[in-house]
Amino acid sequence: IIDRGANIGLASIVFKSMFPDTSIIAIEPDKENFEQLNKNLKPYSRIHTLNKGIWNKKSIVQVTDKYNVGKWGMVTEEIETETAGSISTVTIDEIMNLYHLNSIDILKLDIETAEREVFTSDYDTWLPKVKIIIIELHDSFCKGTAMPFFKAIVEIFKNYSYYQLGENTIIVNEEQIKK
């Protein structure tokens, strides 16, 4: 399970209670949230944490409360040069390589508008390997962030199911579930 936008780790804890034998990779770009995430996840085994942004390429991003919603809505935005407080990004391909993953059972994304970048390019190698995506789309913050996600799903998944549960859009890759 990859929990991107892990915040302080509550979704990772829920996933771990539901699937105790699974490995979880919890990724959070905000330094203060990341510190709390590590404290909250310390009692659990097989949970790896990364203090990175997620993007469609190697880049540098700044983390801000752009929409004034607090620590649960921190936004990453690409910047040209490294500054105090900036953070490097990681791609999903890089995560899969780093942790030797052939597939992803659950990809949870709550990435506060960065879904636009993640699904704009370079998703064709990793997206077919995802069984279930749970994503919070943020068109209410910034129009146009959801469209690349839906285009990528229609392009890559030949047979999928779609569900909406609260703010979460859930896509099940039926071809991967059969494997």
Side-chain angles (χ1 to χ4, degrees):
I1 296 174
I2 296 177
D3 178 4
R4 176 48 190 97
N7 196 272
I8 62 169
L10 299 181
S12 291
I13 291 169
V14 169
F15 286 135
K16 198 61 170 171
S17 70
M18 294 171 68
F19 311 106
D21 295 330
T22 195
S23 291
I24 297 174
I25 303 159
I27 307 162
E28 173 56 40
D30 181 71
K31 291 191 185 310
E32 290 175 11
N33 284 346
F34 185 73
E35 288 173 12
Q36 189 62 50
L37 167 92
N38 280 316
K39 289 176 187 173
N40 292 344
L41 299 181
K42 190 173 185 172
Y44 300 92
S45 64
R46 298 179 63 195
I47 297 183
H48 312 278
T49 61
L50 292 173
N51 184 212
K52 300 270 186 189
I54 195 161
W55 220 248
N56 60 357
K57 63 184 180 199
K58 277 296 228 189
S59 188
I60 302 293
V61 295
Q62 64 183 1
V63 182
T64 64
D65 184 10
K66 181 177 182 173
Y67 299 107
N68 298 313
V69 293
K71 294 302 262 180
W72 61 268
M74 301 303 282
V75 172
T76 54
E77 294 181 295
E78 190 172 23
I79 56 176
E80 292 293 319
T81 57
E82 196 170 335
T83 62
S86 64
I87 193 161
S88 63
T89 62
V90 63
T91 67
I92 294 176
D93 272 329
E94 289 172 320
I95 295 165
M96 292 183 75
N97 288 334
L98 180 64
Y99 292 98
H100 309 290
L101 304 176
N102 295 319
S103 65
I104 301 168
D105 292 327
I106 298 173
L107 174 61
K108 178 247 171 195
L109 296 171
D110 185 1
I111 52 179
E112 312 305 323
T113 72
E115 59 266 23
R116 176 181 48 230
E117 282 73 23
V118 170
F119 290 98
T120 295
S121 63
D122 297 324
Y123 53 80
D124 55 323
T125 55
W126 60 265
L127 187 55
K129 300 172 185 173
V130 178
K131 294 178 182 177
I132 299 170
I133 300 175
I134 303 169
I135 187 169
E136 184 176 327
L137 298 167
H138 295 90
D139 267 24
S140 61
F141 287 175
C142 181
K143 294 291 181 211
T145 59
M147 186 59 71
F149 169 72
F150 287 115
K151 283 183 175 180
I153 294 302
V154 169
E155 175 188 333
I156 299 295
F157 291 178
K158 304 305 176 215
N159 183 14
Y160 65 91
S161 298
Y162 168 93
Y163 306 93
Q164 191 70 39
L165 183 60
E167 71 269 5
N168 293 310
T169 299
I170 303 166
I171 304 290
V172 177
N173 182 348
E174 298 293 345
E175 296 300 313
Q176 275 293 328
I177 295 297
K178 291 178 186 177
K179 293 181 179 180

